[in-house]
Amino acid sequence: EVLAGRAHRGLADLVAVNVATLIFLATSQHTLPEALAPREVLASGAALSMLRDLARLSGGSVEAIRGWL
């Protein structure tokens, strides 16, 4: 639900903060707006599309993702 942009706002914010923390620690994104970019990606549902693209590019199964939803 979070990746598809259909989760409760609080849950989506929790995931976004966790992702932002990882981005902050692992990259040069050192401002809050840069680190919180995942919030828009999650809210729009684009995260699910990105996960499907990653599965395709890595030779994985997009069908397996459907099983999680």
Side-chain angles (χ1 to χ4, degrees):
E1 295 297 310
V2 173
L3 296 180
R6 296 186 301 255
H8 183 272
R9 172 87 188 240
L11 178 58
D13 284 349
L14 177 65
V15 171
V17 167
N18 284 325
V19 171
T21 301
L22 292 172
I23 290 171
F24 178 80
L25 293 172
T27 70
S28 62
Q29 306 304 315
H30 296 294
T31 67
L32 189 58
E34 291 172 328
L36 286 176
R39 176 185 253 169
E40 288 82 32
V41 174
L42 291 170
S44 71
L48 183 56
S49 177
M50 290 177 178
L51 180 60
R52 288 180 180 136
D53 290 345
L54 179 61
R56 263 188 239 102
L57 290 171
S58 65
S61 170
V62 176
E63 294 302 318
I65 295 170
R66 287 192 186 116
W68 297 342
L69 300 176

